[in-house]
Amino acid sequence: MEYTIGDWRRIRDSVTRDTFIRRQSRYSLIVVALMSATLLLVGCGASGTPTPQPESISIQLPTPTPAPESAGVGSPLLGGGEVDKVFVRALSTDPDSLNPLLSTNRAGAAVINLLYPVLFNLDPMTGQPSPNGAMAERWEVSQDGLTYTFYLRPNVTWSDGDPVDAADFKFTYDLLADDRVDSPNQGMTADIARIEVLDPLTVSVQFNGIRCDALSDLRLRWLPSHLFTPGDEDFIDRVIADSFEVSAGPFLLQSWTPRESVALERNETYWQGAPAIERMVLRIMPDPADRYNGLLDGSLDAIPVTAAQANDLAGNPGVTVHSANIDGYDFIAVNLANPENPQAGRDEAGALIVQDPHPALSDPAVRQAIAYALDYTTIVESIYLNHGYQIASNALPVIPWAHNTQVQPYTYDPNRARQLLEEAGWIDSNSDGVREKGLASLYMNLLTTSSNNQRAALAGLIQDQLNSVGFDITVQEVDSTDLVKQLLAQTYDLAVFGWAGLGSDPNDELFWSTRADQPGSGFNFVSYQNTTVENLLAQANSLPGCKPEDRAPIYREVQQILHDELPYIFLVGATSDTAYSNHWGGIAPGPWDFYWNVQEWRDVNAPKD
């Protein structure tokens, strides 16, 4: 499996007392022990009157991506048709909660996103902030870059008729920062200095500093504040319930039977129009074979599919497979420091600590030899079944404005790998097939997880290809907890790993910062040290105005450096495959959101209005 930041944190926290506070789907490192939130989100100044706002400038929002013309069935395709149809989709796991404050897994988000409002969405095709389907019609940023003012959509109501307004947003984020709630998403408030309701349809958010990825902190779905009275004795118990009885999304919660299904019914008062789908049922089906059979026999309308299943469905006239490049990738983590002597990247005073180098992997020629020794075409074809693509560096094509198309992936060239090793002094002096240099050799362990057959197969292929140029790789399969524990401890040589859910902003300083090189807890578990990269990433995330065209050259420079220095051996970009029945029309999925226009879907066999 690929690891989202949330997955990593949960496993990591099971083996360490240190805590990483997540900054929403984006993130930045805050290493603390038993940290409590001291942030107070206030609605007015100390005098009881609204705090004056800095002078503002308007932001030109990206043009929302329209549905492709081919997506519709009939013209136009509008929701609200009088049909009695049920759309049944499969989830691989059970939601952990249907409360936005508490949920951290994808299954929970799949349901929550259909029930509760959000300040802004991501454009389904580009991933850029968009007002499409969200509460904010537009927003402005102050001249100092610290304060965002959002102007909300009027005439949006909860399903019980109460208005959705700025009070709901502030109520939700106040709770998020409240230690009594103990939200796993509390880190989304870490950089927020103040939230003020200026009027029912205007809210401002002031940040502690300029962060170009700050908007992502504001994408938590809202709770219905009118249902709660803060002074009530059971207030906290009620706001941390697993679900609520009202909705402002396209559907209403009908029932949730854990480990079985979640049933939704259409929201007749949804502000974009009641869906044509009368009911949506999300069945919990961990077995990919069961999901696949359900799609084929017609009992399921949409399922996540494996690469093999996607290939098998090619040409099936009753099914469409949507494959999209997404925000994740697989790589080989390369420990640049001595695994027998893990050290922090900086001391308590903040001074850089020069690392005790890994006896082999600290040599750039060895890392380049690894990159050239791998047959990426075979990896993509045989391991990923062509549902993946070779990558060159850290910023992916799914973020096109930041992706550097000039940085080319390494090619498979085992002779070049051997040459690099020879020139760097790594020689097989005793003809045993393993290269040495002085007392060091190219013997090393390659960690992978025992719970993922694809990763195990990938590790075996890497082992064979590296051994053919003079390495002696031993694959060590461990369970997920042990894998994370060894990565955190920095006591490994190489590890097959993957990131998922990296988000729509390219800021990934958490992986490369020397301050994140903390044995036992840090995300920079490869002990990478490059102050130029650190400074570039900090600059790109704090540019006044945060215009993509200004940030892009900086991120492109970082990609080139990481490509050349190889703290990771970048392998394969992730794809997501979803299969759905062709008797549903209007489906126009994007890489950032499959269900963004669900209110427009309808059964193509249903009578047209």
Side-chain angles (χ1 to χ4, degrees), residues 373-374 457-469 471 473 475:
L374 299 179
L458 175 59
L461 188 57
I462 292 170
Q463 177 189 38
D464 292 343
Q465 293 174 356
L466 295 186
N467 287 354
S468 72
V469 299
F471 287 81
I473 301 295
V475 174

Side-chain angles (χ1 to χ4, degrees), residues 548-568:
E549 60 267 30
D550 295 334
R551 301 174 70 201
I554 303 174
Y555 286 115
R556 290 170 185 159
E557 183 178 351
V558 170
Q559 289 164 67
Q560 185 67 64
I561 295 171
L562 294 176
H563 168 275
D564 296 343
E565 296 194 348
L566 293 168
Y568 290 175

